[in-house]
Amino acid sequence: MELYEQFQSMIKKRKAYQYVLNVVGWDSNTEAPDEAFKRRAEMLGIINQELFQMQTSEAYKDVVNGLYKQIDDLEDLQAREVKKAKKALDKIVKIPEDEFIEYGKLIQLSQKKWEHAKENNDWDGFKDNLAKIVDFNRRFVDYYEFDMLPYDVLLDDYEEGWTMKDFDEFFDVLRAELVPFVKEVLDSGKSLHKDFIDMSYDTDKQKEFCTYLMDVFSFDQSRGVMKESVHPFTWNTHPSDVRFTTRYLENYVFSSIFAAIHEIGHATYEQQIDETWNDTLLNGGTSMGIHESQSRFYENIIGRSKAFWETHLTSLKSHFPEQLKDVSVQSFYEAINKVEASYIRVEADELTYPLHIMLRYEIEKQLFAREIEVDDLPEIWNKKMEEYLGITPKDDSEGVLQDVHWSAGLLGYFPTYALGSAYAAQFYYKMAEELDIDELIKQDKIDVINQWFKEKIHQYGSSKSPKELLEAVTGEEFNPMYYVRFLKEKYSDLYL
Ligand code: ZN
């Protein structure tokens, strides 16, 4: 069809611009010197403007709207692409241009404000920016006229097809099952803390071990690289170029190890996507939740298993013979799964982590239902911390100010983190029907697990929605009880 071919060539050109911007983005986060930033911002501004014009040009609008009118005549996957394009287009063109520009500026400024506020425990210095960000987003969803509740519009951005109704059911289960279970674990009086956790670990040696981990996970280094950055992340343009970072902290060796394994999970997903999607809008992982299911499967289900360290502790010991001299596999396994009521989400353990997310979800939901306002957040935050984890932050820096997301306008994103872990558990029990997972991990055959994920999930890119994918893989709808079961089995064994 002629119109669809026009669409394809427009998308390809846009991808070329995005490709260049992506590569520069990687460079900014890993290599570029501090003083490069000003000139780079100027140059990128021009490229970004070109890209914006392409996405909003009359020609592009005509093609997308034209295709949308005949959507019933398109093949399924073409229709899926056109729907995506139409939704993205509506989001840009329905917002008045001056507001769009003003919001962009606000986000830029808010990043710095937030950094400063967090460092100085200065909620008052940030709250007006946050109130404006929330207001803009409340207005934007009205402009879209999507016939959905406001917060549902935002949730769908990160997890297609997921609404408050779905997330409420999910978090209701977690609240009922995990809050009392976490309390039981914390009240058990058992401590899994070990002295070797706090020792000093040479960062060059840590890097050697992370390089070893790439081999353990069969990460294809001819199509990927590992570097270092303050906040670990995965970056990609297409399956043949997938890069990730980890970070090395001398006083916390677990940080580099588990950040590397987590990012290898994201990176393996991207590497194993079929190249046929490259020139379409169906490239890349299908949703934040499914992406996070892969990173958390690798990090928690494989990386924090006893089986994994039965095979690989010897190698870690060879890098750190002094620190780990008398450490047994059991003792190491306990140390990496230590549970604590803690204030900071990114430092939380596997068990308490979803409660940190539940709190954020509930707050966002109330904000967009207009039941609360930004002014109320510190108090609500602290009350919920007390309710779910039994602790109260001493100040806003370790409370409501801790995360970067809201300052960047990322509203509706948080719940996908918990959802990812729950998806991972559901995949795990399905995989266990077909593979002896522990045995594969022990025998250093993680490539078999990679292959399972490639066949069932990775190859499809975003040609299937998260719900379609989950049902195709497991034969069931989403069921949070797998996640509860996984956590209860593992942590009862460790603590009770
Ligand atoms: Zn992640």
Side-chain angles (χ1 to χ4, degrees), residues 209 212-213 216-217 257-258 261 298 301-313 329 332 336 438 441-442 444 446:
F209 186 71
Y212 164 82
L213 286 176
V216 169
F217 283 87
I257 294 173
F258 292 104
I261 300 177
Y298 284 70
I301 296 180
I302 302 178
R304 290 183 204 274
S305 70
K306 200 167 163 187
F308 187 82
W309 293 101
E310 277 171 15
T311 305
H312 302 291
L313 185 60
V329 171
F332 192 83
I336 59 176
D438 259 11
I441 295 171
K442 271 187 221 164
D444 204 12
I446 291 173

Side-chain angles (χ1 to χ4, degrees), residues 402-456:
Q402 65 181 274
D403 294 307
V404 65
H405 300 61
W406 290 341
S407 72
L410 300 172
L411 294 150
Y413 184 129
F414 279 123
T416 65
Y417 288 133
L419 183 60
S421 298
Y423 283 152
Q426 193 162 344
F427 293 142
Y428 169 78
Y429 287 108
K430 184 68 199 176
M431 188 189 284
E433 290 171 13
E434 297 168 22
L435 303 176
D436 188 341
I437 302 171
D438 259 11
E439 206 46 41
L440 288 170
I441 295 171
K442 271 187 221 164
Q443 290 173 12
D444 204 12
K445 287 184 181 159
I446 291 173
D447 57 310
V448 178
I449 294 173
N450 292 348
Q451 191 57 34
W452 194 90
F453 277 129
K454 181 180 180 176
E455 276 168 30
K456 311 258 177 186

